[in-house]
Amino acid sequence: MTSTPKDQPASDQTKLNPGDQAEPGTPGAGENVCPECKGSGRIGAKPCQTCGGTGTIIEGIGGA
């Protein structure tokens, strides 16, 4: 069994998908529907490569 040291931030444990622009919980970022699979998490019979099969991506919100 592997364990994470208590002084290691939880963000180091987060796996980002290729379509993610930021880690979950990052200020100024939020979930959005994956533009590739339109939220289904699948492209044909395979998991979407952009969102990792979740149907959502994390991206910056707002902006200037």
Side-chain angles (χ1 to χ4, degrees):
M1 179 165 101
T2 58
S3 64
T4 302
K6 291 183 180 182
D7 61 343
Q8 183 177 0
S11 62
D12 288 349
Q13 302 169 9
T14 304
K15 178 183 174 281
L16 295 179
N17 292 307
D20 291 337
Q21 296 175 355
E23 293 182 8
T26 300
E31 282 189 359
N32 200 1
V33 174
C34 176
E36 297 297 317
C37 68
K38 311 292 189 261
S40 72
R42 303 199 66 76
I43 301 285
K46 297 182 179 182
C48 176
Q49 295 294 309
T50 301
C51 66
T54 64
T56 61
I57 58 169
I58 308 295
E59 63 182 5
I61 56 174

